[in-house]
Amino acid sequence: MIRCLLFIAFLLPQIAFAQDFPARFSVTGVAADDTLNIRAEPNSKSQILGELSPFAINIEVLELSKDSKWGMIGTGEGNGWVFMRFLAENTPQDPHSLPRPFKCSGTEPFWTLAMTVRGAEFQEPGLPREDLNEGYEGVANAGYLAIFDQGPYISYTLMAERAVCGDGMSDRKFGFAARLFVETPDGNRYMRGCCTMDQSR
């Protein structure tokens, strides 16, 4: 408990999204031989940046346009807008657990902590992937707290809060700011990054 409180104390103020976002959606109402356009601005005449298949799921909407007709999503190295008429919100998962899939990553140093329904894994460039044992999970309106271990001597404490986040490598906005504290016998590390629920592409 003390470790968790100390970790939370490290968090810096962030610009928070509305409480209901980010949220996860799936494409609906699009013909099987058609696609849903991702546009540069929240209007039907703006540049097309990409597309979603008619069966795309786990699309993370970060925020809505002022008229609530468009939703901002991540795409490539940036963000785009999709018409909300063709998105249906996914059935909520267990409110006491982290959403899955859920992927957090950071730069300088580069790291990735991926959580799926099958488990969790940690990866750094040039090093073997580490499968993690899941321990504690805490959920609040502002985000998530999770603790994992890799054997008896290495632990990972992740705090992911709903906030605007950038990876420092692109123009893309993410919906969660991450803080990762790694405890090992050889010393501890504190790293920052961003998280996403998006698994649509």
Side-chain angles (χ1 to χ4, degrees):
M1 177 61 72
I2 294 176
R3 178 177 62 187
C4 296
L5 294 175
L6 289 174
F7 184 77
I8 293 172
F10 276 109
L11 294 177
L12 298 176
Q14 299 286 336
I15 303 172
F17 282 112
Q19 179 176 320
D20 294 338
F21 290 91
R24 189 179 284 152
F25 291 75
S26 298
V27 173
T28 184
V30 175
D33 60 350
D34 201 355
T35 58
L36 177 60
N37 289 328
I38 305 171
R39 296 189 177 271
E41 301 294 337
N43 66 74
S44 59
K45 296 183 180 180
S46 66
Q47 176 187 0
I48 297 175
L49 301 179
E51 56 190 27
L52 296 173
S53 81
F55 309 108
I57 62 173
N58 294 332
I59 303 158
E60 183 182 51
V61 175
L62 302 177
E63 61 181 82
L64 298 180
S65 59
K66 292 182 179 180
D67 60 8
S68 298
K69 292 182 179 180
W70 296 81
M72 177 193 286
I73 67 171
T75 178
E77 298 296 303
N79 297 91
W81 296 85
V82 292
F83 200 36
M84 292 300 296
R85 175 184 173 186
F86 297 105
L87 293 182
E89 188 168 7
N90 289 14
T91 302
Q93 297 182 339
D94 182 352
H96 305 293
S97 300
L98 274 76
R100 285 174 172 77
F102 193 67
K103 181 179 180 180
C104 302
S105 59
T107 59
E108 298 181 359
F110 288 87
W111 60 272
T112 300
L113 176 57
M115 290 144 278
T116 70
V117 294
R118 297 183 299 275
E121 59 185 40
F122 181 75
Q123 179 78 59
E124 292 181 281
L127 297 175
R129 183 193 70 194
E130 303 292 349
D131 293 323
L132 306 181
N133 301 310
E134 301 186 39
Y136 174 81
E137 291 185 8
V139 179
N141 289 340
Y144 309 101
L145 173 68
I147 300 176
F148 309 90
D149 69 72
Q150 179 194 332
Y153 304 114
I154 302 177
S155 67
Y156 300 77
T157 302
L158 174 71
M159 182 73 176
E161 65 171 330
R162 295 178 186 271
V164 178
C165 184
D167 60 12
M169 301 290 288
S170 70
D171 295 326
R172 182 170 174 173
K173 293 180 181 179
F174 292 84
F176 293 89
R179 305 291 185 265
L180 181 66
F181 189 74
V182 183
E183 297 177 85
T184 75
D186 297 326
N188 302 330
R189 292 185 293 160
Y190 173 68
M191 299 178 286
R192 300 182 182 185
C194 303
C195 303
T196 179
M197 300 186 293
D198 186 273
Q199 297 291 319
S200 61
R201 293 171 300 285

